[in-house]
Amino acid sequence: MTANNEILIIGPPKSGKTTFLAQLYGRLINRVGKLKLLETPDNIEAIKMAYDRLADGQETEPTPSTDNLEVKIPVRQNDHEFVLHCKDYGGEQVRDLVAQMEYDKTWIERAKKNDRWILFVRPSEIEQRFDLSMKGFAEQEKKKNKTVITGASDQSHFIELIQVILHARETGMKDLIETPRLLIALTCWDELKTNEKPEEVLQHKMPLFYQFIAANWLPEKFKVVGVSAQEFPLQNQENRDKYLDELPENFGYLVMNENPKEKDLTRLIEEVLTL
């Protein structure tokens, strides 16, 4: 099945979606990267404001929960020209999809019209719980006297999120999924301080979620990459000065199998387009 080039970025609150879009904007405007901007896009004000904050040495602010903007960015990748459709919305909307287990017409349209999905997951924010499938009954006995955490795990929330959006798209899971193509972006990679590959990090941080994806998608139609859109926190003056002096587009990187520190953040788009 041929997939269109429309991309849906899915990200819960604090997953780094706004920072990535700001950095993508900066690279396109300043022509830094393989993806080239053809003309000035519309509805770009919110993303431009986020980029301006980075340029001032400040971290981005979350997109308001009520925002529902479609950003159309005309770009060229090698000899191919197309419009990159990015939906800019508040991350709380993603959280509410799972909490309420329902979606509106906007999400139905997003799910159906976009054949390529980028799911933003921030591993450092994933709550770690005991996993019987990974450690066995003997290890469980040692855990009995420790505090029990109730409620659904973060892994379960991400599984339910994918199931809800697939349902909105009317995509079943009887057969392995070819479309939508799925790129899982492990964000704020610099917080992890690890030499592991992204897929390895996903497997040990979210084993249940990883198994769910691997069991339902064709192996060649999903991929895991690491993303550090900001590269380091802007919580001290030294780091803020770096952004002021060198500009945001000189910071940030991807972690890919063939390159553990790819500086061209626009390649995240290339990765999902080649699935």
Side-chain angles (χ1 to χ4, degrees):
M1 178 186 295
T2 301
N4 64 40
N5 287 333
E6 297 197 25
I7 299 170
L8 175 62
I9 296 178
I10 306 165
K14 299 181 180 179
S15 62
K17 178 173 63 72
T18 300
T19 302
F20 172 76
L21 288 176
Q23 287 284 47
L24 177 65
Y25 166 82
R27 280 159 167 78
L28 291 174
I29 289 293
N30 294 289
R31 300 187 178 280
V32 179
K34 293 181 67 175
L35 206 63
K36 303 299 183 184
L37 186 68
L38 292 178
E39 59 184 72
T40 304
D42 296 325
N43 293 335
I44 206 72
E45 289 80 10
I47 295 176
K48 182 181 182 301
M49 286 177 60
Y51 172 82
D52 289 343
R53 283 187 63 86
L54 290 176
D56 288 338
Q58 304 177 66
E59 296 190 352
T60 62
E61 295 180 327
T63 302
S65 60
T66 55
D67 278 12
N68 269 309
L69 298 176
E70 180 174 359
V71 181
K72 299 180 180 180
I73 308 175
V75 295
R76 181 175 65 247
Q77 180 199 26
N78 299 323
D79 296 327
H80 303 286
E81 296 183 2
F82 60 93
V83 177
L84 178 63
H85 293 252
C86 292
K87 280 65 182 174
D88 188 27
Y89 57 87
E92 289 81 4
Q93 294 181 33
V94 171
R95 182 183 58 200
D96 291 344
L97 284 175
V98 175
Q100 300 172 12
M101 291 302 250
E102 62 181 17
Y103 41 78
D104 58 18
K105 291 180 179 179
T106 299
W107 274 100
I108 293 173
E109 183 177 358
R110 286 173 181 161
K112 290 184 175 181
K113 285 192 173 182
N114 298 273
D115 285 350
R116 301 178 189 275
W117 297 357
I118 303 178
L119 176 66
F120 278 27
V121 178
R122 188 174 181 176
S124 62
E125 295 290 313
I126 298 299
E127 178 187 67
Q128 297 299 300
R129 297 193 184 182
F130 178 81
D131 189 335
L132 185 63
S133 68
M134 299 293 286
K135 297 185 179 180
F137 287 99
E139 189 69 20
Q140 171 67 352
E141 290 298 315
K142 300 177 184 178
K143 303 283 183 177
K144 280 186 176 179
N145 295 327
K146 295 193 175 182
T147 303
V148 176
I149 303 173
T150 59
S153 68
D154 290 335
Q155 294 191 73
S156 297
H157 280 295
F158 274 101
I159 291 171
E160 290 172 354
L161 171 63
I162 293 297
Q163 289 176 324
V164 167
I165 304 177
L166 285 173
H167 188 269
R169 185 185 170 90
E170 299 181 350
T171 296
M173 292 184 288
K174 181 179 179 181
D175 300 315
L176 291 179
I177 297 170
E178 179 181 5
T179 305
R181 316 294 163 81
L182 178 64
L183 183 68
I184 301 171
L186 303 184
T187 61
C188 302
W189 186 268
D190 52 288
E191 296 175 341
L192 299 178
K193 304 186 187 310
T194 180
N195 292 321
E196 289 185 307
K197 293 182 178 180
E199 192 161 341
E200 295 171 340
V201 169
L202 186 63
Q203 285 182 34
H204 88 250
K205 287 274 189 182
M206 303 176 71
L208 184 64
F209 176 71
Y210 177 81
Q211 290 166 18
F212 167 77
I213 297 299
N216 287 288
W217 255 265
L218 287 168
E220 67 275 16
K221 300 305 178 185
F222 81 92
K223 190 172 186 178
V224 187
V225 300
V227 182
S228 178
Q230 196 170 277
E231 195 161 338
F232 46 77
L234 300 177
Q235 296 172 352
N236 61 60
Q237 193 59 48
E238 180 182 358
N239 286 351
R240 290 193 288 269
D241 286 343
K242 289 179 182 178
Y243 264 69
L244 288 167
D245 295 339
E246 301 178 47
L247 299 180
E249 57 268 21
N250 290 302
F251 299 100
Y253 60 89
L254 303 177
V255 181
M256 305 159 74
N257 288 334
E258 71 277 14
N259 187 347
K261 201 165 186 179
E262 169 59 65
K263 296 294 290 183
D264 184 1
L265 284 181
T266 73
R267 286 202 59 194
L268 187 73
I269 304 302
E270 181 183 61
E271 286 296 296
V272 74
L273 290 174
T274 54
L275 282 175

